[in-house]
Amino acid sequence: MPSEFDLIRRHFTRPAHHTTLSVGDDAALLAPRAGMQLAVSTDMLVAGTHFFADADPEALGWKTLAVNVSDLAAMGAEPRWAVLALSLPAADEAWIAAFARGFFACADAFGVDLAGGDTTRGPLNLCVTIFGEVPAGAAVTRGGARTGDDLWITGTPGHAALGLAHLRGEVALGADAARTCLAALHRPQPRVAFGQALRGIASAMLDVSDGLLGDLGHILECSGCGALIDVAALPLAALHACGADDALARRCLLSGGDDYELLFAAPPAQRERLAALAHGHGLPLSRIGTITASAGELVLRETDGREHPTAHAGYDHFA
Ligand code: ADP
Ligand code: MG
């Protein structure tokens, strides 16, 4: 039976690239560069709540870090360091090795050093705290949206929820569509470079983890404004192309979580710049609505022009 220290040494100790003191001491030492603020975020993944206990460990390793990287992307920050707290039911070395492979693949993809952590026995629970850097004062918060701003979403949100519906047997996707949707669910691609490019352009931003409408509600609350969503402008075509009917496509896009796309507001004067940026990053970008003055009110404009208020409740662990 490997000891806790064997596990840490074998699976979670890698050469660090920009960490003063990494895994192995009582604390890591991190040195942010001059003029930078630290952006810090924690996300916990709990078996049975966030993933199935028999989930593929390599994909789980990727996702555990990727959801944290995405939180920094949503601030316009650059991810730099992470610490990993693991609670594991057993010292299953094959499982841990696969998990570490996925985790470090994501760390390498986004320039993150694993600087420390904690490893204990217990119910399967994965918690990452991530540290990033952002030029002082340049972070994009949830609170800066202004009446008249456009609302934008990156990528093709809804694929992850469609993949989950497929796993649950609620829909039977074709092989290609299933591959696309399960990749979105298991290997989300945080929009790190694009998030940083939005500094000075976006007035408010977050990453969509709990559903577009629900997460939009957080921007409305923090910014003290409302929003109008234009259904005709939603990127539903990619979901239709995967075989989802209109009702399912709409539910996945508006209420499904787990895509980790960026939802942001920006003044209309930025439209051309945004189109050029999206093109440069090879990233689909949809202008899906506007910020309105009516605080807390979320209105959907249907394709026939009819407008109606809608709830902005996302996933809530305690509701
Ligand atoms: P302490 O008892 O002082 O908290 P630990 O024995 O928990 O130290 O950890 C020893 C070292 O290994 C520390 O540097 C800690 O940050 C690191 N560490 C523990 N678990 C992990 C892990 N899962 N990933 C990365 N580093 C870890
Ligand atoms: Mg410890």
Side-chain angles (χ1 to χ4, degrees):
M1 197 68 168
S3 78
E4 174 190 332
F5 304 101
D6 294 333
L7 293 176
I8 296 167
R9 190 163 10 84
R10 244 178 261 155
H11 301 291
F12 297 108
T13 308
R14 296 277 174 99
H17 300 287
H18 45 253
T19 306
T20 313
L21 185 63
S22 189
V23 172
D25 217 305
D26 289 311
L29 296 174
L30 316 177
R33 291 164 292 187
M36 296 293 209
Q37 278 175 324
L38 275 182
V40 181
S41 180
T42 294
D43 252 319
M44 186 155 64
L45 276 76
V46 178
T49 301
H50 298 97
F51 60 91
F52 302 117
D54 62 354
D56 171 57
E58 187 166 350
L60 196 56
W62 173 281
K63 188 162 177 173
T64 299
L65 183 57
V67 302
N68 282 275
V69 167
S70 177
D71 279 319
L72 293 194
M75 300 299 288
E78 179 187 349
R80 299 274 285 165
W81 303 277
V83 294
L84 169 65
L86 282 177
S87 163
L88 302 169
D92 176 345
E93 287 235 46
W95 192 98
I96 295 170
F99 176 87
R101 213 160 41 240
F103 187 96
F104 282 111
C106 186
D108 291 344
F110 296 101
V112 174
D113 277 352
L114 180 62
D118 199 24
T119 307
T120 70
R121 184 196 293 263
L124 184 56
N125 190 336
L126 315 161
C127 183
V128 169
T129 300
I130 192 159
F131 303 80
E133 289 177 282
V134 61
V140 185
T141 68
R142 298 176 172 188
R146 295 291 168 261
T147 305
D149 282 355
D150 295 321
L151 259 181
W152 300 85
I153 183 88
T154 59
T156 51
H159 277 140
L162 192 54
L164 189 60
H166 176 75
L167 287 183
R168 287 185 171 146
E170 295 162 11
V171 61
L173 301 177
D176 284 353
R179 203 171 311 114
T180 302
C181 293
L182 292 177
L185 179 65
H186 294 312
R187 289 202 154 240
Q189 302 292 323
R191 305 302 189 188
V192 174
F194 200 70
Q196 288 173 63
L198 290 176
R199 296 197 293 240
I201 298 178
S203 55
M205 174 155 66
L206 51 63
D207 64 322
V208 177
S209 55
D210 296 328
L212 196 157
L213 293 184
D215 284 330
L216 174 55
H218 299 311
I219 289 186
L220 303 190
E221 194 177 315
C222 293
S223 298
C225 57
L228 177 93
I229 299 271
D230 189 359
V231 172
L234 295 174
L236 289 162
L239 300 172
H240 292 148
C242 285
D245 65 23
D246 215 43
L248 180 61
R250 185 175 163 144
R251 177 164 65 84
C252 288
L253 195 151
L254 291 178
S255 310
D258 261 0
D259 283 296
Y260 302 94
E261 295 294 352
L262 296 176
L263 174 66
F264 63 95
Q270 300 287 357
R271 281 180 196 173
E272 271 183 34
R273 219 169 141 197
L274 282 166
L277 260 187
H279 183 75
H281 286 251
L283 187 62
L285 184 63
S286 306
R287 180 159 55 85
I288 61 167
T290 38
I291 296 291
T292 64
S294 26
E297 203 174 273
L298 181 49
V299 173
L300 285 189
R301 181 191 288 146
E302 299 294 340
T303 47
D304 61 6
R306 208 164 34 89
E307 292 184 2
H308 61 93
T310 184
H312 44 76
Y315 186 78
D316 179 338
H317 286 282
F318 296 102

